[in-house]
Amino acid sequence: MALEQRRPPTAPVAYHGRKSVVTWWWSATTRTQVACGSLRRMRVAIGLDWDPEVAWFSGEPVELRWQTAKGRRRRWRPDFIARTAEGDRLVVAVEPDSPDQEWRDKLVLLHAVAEEAGWRVEVRQVPRGVRRDTLEWLAEYRGPDPIEDEAACEQELLRAFSEPRRLIEGARASGMPELLALDHAYRLIWRHRLHIDWDAPLLPTARAWAAT
């Protein structure tokens, strides 16, 4: 089985051994539950789920074990392993709030392993502020679309947003019921069919435009 499709070898534990909440994220990319050792990891998982370059990913599917120069046995599970749309294997490490020397030593080890295995290493920060709020809001629309005539509704909205305009204005211009059109517009943003300004709060007055 590909590494990015494996589940953790044992039950996930709290992030870096700290007191935390073990969570699971239902991924729209994989249609499976992804293990997350904390809410911080879950927020990074949302970003991976939204990332169009990620074709599959899983949480903590492998464990690295090594011995230090002083003879101490150590182990570490990188946070996520992903496969990109181009077929590359990506190892994702979530950066701590305050990276210390131990964290930097682990990254050195991870890069050495990745070089031998032909993996790419990517350090991701936990989304914060407006971007985090927007991702969490859009993720509520990651499931299957309940609209019966989904393709026709999508085309109406894309035509309505052929030029940048406020979400509420485009929803009204689509000819669909306003709230239904807004819900579908959020789904299209999650699917990268509509673009937005990620530095602005995602309100009905936020501007959006169709992807070219």
Side-chain angles (χ1 to χ4, degrees), residues 7-13 35 37 41 58-62 77-81:
R7 297 174 73 84
T10 60
V13 296
R41 270 195 190 136
S58 62
E60 302 182 324
V62 297
R77 295 182 188 178
D79 301 283
F80 301 98
I81 289 187

Side-chain angles (χ1 to χ4, degrees), residues 27-190:
S27 167
T29 301
T30 67
R31 297 293 195 271
T32 61
Q33 296 280 359
V34 175
C36 303
S38 68
L39 293 177
R40 297 179 76 256
R41 270 195 190 136
M42 189 184 75
R43 286 169 177 145
V44 173
I46 296 174
L48 289 169
D49 208 8
W50 178 78
D51 191 337
E53 294 185 2
V54 174
W56 201 282
F57 71 104
S58 62
E60 302 182 324
V62 297
E63 184 172 87
L64 307 181
R65 300 184 182 187
W66 70 99
Q67 187 168 303
T68 67
K70 296 181 179 180
R72 295 179 180 176
R73 295 181 178 180
R74 307 295 302 275
R75 62 177 63 186
W76 180 42
R77 295 182 188 178
D79 301 283
F80 301 98
I81 289 187
R83 184 178 72 249
T84 69
E86 296 181 351
D88 297 329
R89 182 158 287 146
L90 183 68
V91 185
V92 179
V94 178
E95 185 176 80
D97 287 331
S98 301
D100 54 15
Q101 187 58 49
E102 180 182 357
W103 159 255
R104 289 187 282 271
D105 290 344
K106 288 179 179 178
L107 278 186
V108 171
L109 174 72
L110 182 58
H111 278 282
V113 172
E115 184 176 359
E116 290 288 336
W119 304 342
R120 285 169 43 200
V121 175
E122 183 175 301
V123 176
R124 292 206 176 196
Q125 296 180 335
V126 179
R128 300 181 185 280
V130 172
R131 186 175 185 87
R132 182 196 66 192
D133 294 343
T134 298
L135 274 173
E136 290 182 348
W137 175 263
L138 292 176
E140 295 296 323
Y141 296 89
R142 69 190 185 279
D145 201 322
I147 298 177
E148 292 183 4
D149 197 355
E150 178 184 349
C153 293
E154 179 175 326
Q155 290 306 312
E156 290 297 330
L157 278 170
L158 292 179
R159 276 194 290 269
F161 287 101
S162 58
E163 298 292 338
R165 66 197 310 176
R166 296 171 188 256
L167 280 168
I168 191 65
E169 294 172 350
R172 291 167 179 165
S174 69
M176 300 166 56
E178 187 175 297
L179 294 180
L180 181 64
L182 276 175
D183 281 354
H184 197 62
Y186 293 136
R187 294 181 187 279
L188 293 182
I189 297 171
W190 173 264

